[in-house]
Amino acid sequence: MSTLTEPARAAGREQPAARNGPWRTLRRSFDRHWYAWAMVLPALAVLTVVVGYPLGRGVWLSLTDATESNMGGTYGVNKIPATYGFTGLANYLDVLSGAEGHFYPRLAWTVIWTVACVTLHYGIGLGLAMLLNRAMRWRSLYRVLLILPWAVPAFVAAFAWRLLFNSESGLINAVLNGLGMNGLNWLGDPFLQKVSVVAVNVWLGVPFMMLAILGGLQAIPRELHESAEMDGASPWQRFRYVTLPGLRSVSSTVILLGTIWTFNQFPVIYLVIGRNAGADTDILATYAFKLAFADVRDYAMSATYGVIILSMLLVFAGAYRRALKRQEAVL
Amino acid sequence: MTATHALRERSRRSSIALHLTVIAACLCAVIPIAWVLYVSLRGPDGWKDPASFDGGLSLTNFRYVVADTAFPRWFLNSVIVAGLTTVIAVLISASAGYAASRLRFPGRAPLMWLFLVTQMFPIAVLIVPLYTTFSTLGLIDSALGLVLAYCSTAVPLCAWLMKGYFDTIPTEIDEAGMVDGLTPFGTFFRLVLPLARPGLAVAGFYAFITAWGEVAFATAFLSSDKQKTLATGLQGFVGQHTSEWGALTAASVLIAIPAAAVFFYAQRHLVTGLTAGGTKG
């Protein structure tokens, strides 16, 4: 990399040196790195405006009692001043102490939802990738068909499944009736609602996992498998000691990504169940959305939920990375 | 020896089991899509009793959606919003990705961290402040506001993907450019950027489909029928008081066909693009 900094250093020498210490280091650092910063600047500026500022404002809102009614604003010629005020950590206390009443049930379901979806995504994706990694006839046809759900936008898939789950004319109940069973009220009963949304999300997410794992499988050198076979390893042992370690880097990435995506998943739950349903099926992300945009618009509480969700994800991602590093050290 | 033997002549029974398993999985993947296609061809009321074949197949739903609803308008809005997001995000993030991949400068580590962390942002944390800010600026219910909101996820994602792609381009190319007297900007624009076209395509594609399929911001921000994108417009077909499944399925088919076509063309690059950025932190 040193070659890259050469012209800048030359440019730096032409400049008269500044007098005092910290200013001088800053100046020299600017001379050396200004082009790197210039390249980063546009992205940083946009992120400051659309992420940094809203984040700061979101944290501020979570410390107030802002709702739709006291936000103020301009209505035609009338300008109504904002009347909400600072309430400190009251919102957080309200939510985290359980007094608000929705946080812990929503959190429990969010965790179940995330674990169930990611486990099924990864398990089914791994299974299918292992099958597709074998030599067999029509493999490329199978591959294309299995990827199909990924090509469908999530909101389209959500509507498609709502049609399938329809209790009177849906395909699923038609099949159940055909088998002599009673149709179920998939989108009405709270428990079945949860089963339904997990099914839809698994359907949507498996193809990505499958493709990612398939890429990882194909990157494992064939010789490793062959020499393990020579040494008399059973298929299970080969899977456990050759395949899984070979997939480590792909797996750790897709599981982290999958967890974050699932935790923040919005369209599936919002569109499959619809907005008129009770809060039972809402995960934290959809619940926070409803707080801000349904019925009484409680901006402060929604912002509080947002900040809490973000903190949890950051803690999780940090712990996950640290656990991976430790595992690497052991290996 | 036994192993190669087993590989060549997998027993007939296990071969059948293998195919049956894969076929079952394929059916699960395909049936929901095939069902939507079927219902869309069954006329406006065909969804109520799909098993009976009275009405036969017709294109009534498609004609209705294209001619008598705001569907073409929504489609156009989606193309505009997703297209603008893609162009802005790729333009802005390419140089940042390059700097993060090649140059060692103070602030590089926090910047990479920032790109990664913003992808974890739940919609809930940004949507309320953006909504309240945009409503004072008059950016609610406009394509521009939505594009700005989408940049909050698209820019870091593209920067991250581009960084991953630049990492795969040999640094000798940059060094050759420097030796020939190009500035770092010249090296980037004249040598590396043209080589990174596949990476740009993958990043652009991701930016496009995330914006194309986004529901939460669009639902919260867009209220007038004229401004809606597909993800919000379609909700009106099967709202509280309507259930126009015929129109909805026809619209779904029209949306899914171009998306699927591009997807199959690009899919091989998509996974590697995403995981490459992630593994080389």
Side-chain angles (χ1 to χ4, degrees):
Chain A
M1 266 335 93
S2 62
T3 46
L4 288 180
T5 57
E6 215 50 62
R9 216 178 279 153
R13 252 178 253 128
E14 287 158 24
Q15 307 285 330
R19 266 146 284 151
N20 40 7
W23 172 246
R24 194 169 156 188
T25 19
L26 197 72
R27 182 63 191 268
R28 199 186 291 151
S29 166
F30 180 80
D31 284 338
R32 275 185 64 172
H33 300 294
W34 69 271
Y35 53 87
W37 290 336
M39 283 180 159
V40 168
L41 191 68
L44 207 58
V46 169
L47 286 185
T48 312
V49 174
V50 297
V51 178
Y53 172 73
L55 181 63
R57 201 177 144 82
V59 173
W60 158 249
L61 281 175
S62 74
L63 301 173
T64 67
D65 56 0
T67 60
E68 192 182 16
S69 54
N70 60 19
M71 276 305 278
T74 316
Y75 302 96
V77 287
N78 303 322
K79 207 168 159 63
I80 297 164
T83 53
Y84 66 93
F86 183 74
T87 55
L89 293 172
N91 289 327
Y92 291 95
L93 280 176
D94 206 14
V95 169
L96 293 176
S97 68
E100 181 251 5
H102 288 287
F103 179 70
Y104 288 103
R106 298 282 61 79
L107 176 65
W109 162 234
T110 309
V111 171
I112 296 171
W113 149 265
T114 310
V115 171
C117 285
V118 175
T119 312
L120 288 169
H121 280 155
Y122 188 77
I124 299 173
L126 178 64
L128 289 174
M130 301 268 298
L131 293 181
L132 281 185
N133 198 32
R134 292 157 169 241
M136 65 165 143
R137 209 186 293 182
W138 305 311
R139 184 164 74 164
S140 37
L141 173 69
Y142 289 147
R143 192 164 170 279
V144 167
L145 292 179
L146 287 173
I147 298 170
L148 216 51
W150 194 30
V152 179
F155 70 93
V156 171
F159 288 125
W161 278 88
R162 220 162 111 184
L163 186 61
L164 290 176
F165 280 130
N166 193 303
S167 55
E168 272 125 51
S169 56
L171 181 66
I172 293 174
N173 275 350
V175 170
L176 286 179
N177 288 333
L179 294 172
M181 283 181 271
N182 286 327
L184 296 167
N185 187 9
W186 291 101
L187 303 179
D189 178 79
F191 177 71
L192 289 175
Q193 278 182 343
K194 292 181 179 177
V195 175
S196 309
V197 285
V198 170
V200 177
N201 198 40
V202 166
W203 184 83
L204 267 171
V206 160
F208 172 77
M209 284 285 187
M210 186 191 79
L211 278 186
I213 296 170
L214 194 58
L217 284 177
Q218 281 161 355
I220 299 174
R222 197 172 256 282
E223 296 80 53
L224 279 181
H225 279 284
E226 280 164 6
S227 57
E229 269 183 81
M230 294 286 215
D231 294 345
S234 68
W236 165 249
Q237 283 173 321
R238 269 180 284 144
F239 175 73
R240 175 71 187 77
Y241 295 105
V242 179
T243 309
L244 282 186
L247 286 176
R248 236 190 113 254
S249 106
V250 172
S251 301
S252 60
T253 308
V254 291
I255 289 178
L256 181 62
L257 283 176
T259 307
I260 292 167
W261 289 342
T262 312
F263 204 90
N264 288 334
Q265 168 64 259
F266 184 81
V268 168
I269 289 182
Y270 186 73
L271 294 180
V272 171
I273 303 304
R275 56 177 96 194
N276 40 354
D280 253 359
T281 337
D282 275 320
I283 56 172
L284 290 170
T286 55
Y287 186 71
F289 181 86
K290 278 190 186 168
L291 276 176
F293 297 104
D295 307 334
V296 188
R297 297 187 162 196
D298 191 345
Y299 296 137
M301 204 46 117
S302 181
T304 309
Y305 266 83
V307 174
I308 293 175
I309 298 171
L310 180 60
S311 323
M312 286 193 298
L313 282 175
L314 289 180
V315 169
F316 168 77
Y320 187 81
R321 281 185 93 104
R322 211 165 308 133
L324 281 181
K325 277 214 186 97
R326 202 177 308 132
Q327 212 182 339
E328 232 155 49
V330 172
L331 288 170
Chain B
M1 234 173 63
T2 47
T4 43
H5 201 67
L7 256 178
R8 293 249 168 76
E9 291 169 38
R10 188 188 299 138
S11 78
R12 203 175 167 72
R13 200 187 296 166
S14 78
S15 178
I16 290 173
L18 173 65
H19 277 274
L20 283 181
T21 320
V22 180
I23 288 172
C26 286
L27 285 177
C28 290
V30 172
I31 282 177
I33 299 167
W35 186 250
V36 168
L37 182 63
Y38 170 71
V39 171
S40 73
L41 293 167
R42 287 302 316 282
D45 291 321
W47 65 275
K48 285 178 189 153
D49 193 8
S52 80
F53 213 78
D54 294 336
L57 297 179
S58 79
L59 290 175
T60 329
N61 288 328
F62 290 89
R63 225 170 286 138
Y64 170 70
V65 163
V66 173
D68 299 333
T69 66
F71 176 77
R73 175 86 208 198
W74 300 335
F75 203 98
L76 185 69
N77 288 341
S78 282
V79 171
I80 292 172
V81 169
L84 268 179
T85 308
T86 309
V87 172
I88 294 175
V90 171
L91 278 181
I92 288 175
S93 61
S95 66
Y98 178 77
S101 161
R102 288 297 206 272
L103 312 171
R104 297 292 172 270
F105 54 95
R108 179 182 171 275
L111 188 74
M112 291 305 298
W113 186 81
L114 179 76
F115 289 154
L116 189 66
V117 162
T118 32
Q119 287 167 57
M120 293 177 205
F121 272 43
I123 40 146
V125 82
L126 294 182
I127 199 164
V128 170
L130 280 177
Y131 183 86
T132 55
T133 312
F134 282 3
S135 39
T136 48
L137 296 175
L139 285 171
I140 291 298
D141 204 22
S142 86
L144 184 64
L146 209 54
V147 170
L148 279 176
Y150 289 167
C151 278
S152 65
T153 48
V155 169
L157 176 69
C158 287
W160 187 254
L161 292 173
M162 290 309 301
K163 188 246 169 207
Y165 194 83
F166 287 130
D167 283 346
T168 66
I169 297 176
T171 52
E172 284 80 18
I173 290 175
D174 304 52
E175 282 156 19
M178 298 310 240
V179 169
D180 289 348
L182 283 174
T183 63
F185 297 112
T187 315
F188 170 61
F189 281 112
R190 297 222 211 137
L191 296 180
V192 183
L193 205 55
L195 285 175
R197 248 175 286 165
L200 289 174
V202 170
F205 186 75
Y206 266 112
F208 192 90
I209 50 166
T210 11
W212 182 257
E214 205 283 333
V215 178
F217 279 107
T219 307
F221 286 13
L222 305 176
S223 49
S224 64
D225 217 34
K226 218 175 62 193
Q227 294 291 342
K228 279 181 179 170
T229 57
L230 288 169
T232 46
L234 254 58
Q235 293 178 33
F237 284 144
V238 287
Q240 248 162 321
H241 309 293
T242 45
S243 40
E244 296 182 80
W245 282 104
L248 183 93
T249 49
S252 300
V253 171
L254 291 177
I255 296 166
I257 288 173
V262 183
F263 229 90
F264 284 115
Y265 177 71
Q267 42 111 350
R268 208 172 267 278
H269 306 285
L270 295 182
V271 176
T272 46
L274 201 60
T275 46
T279 45
K280 292 176 201 151

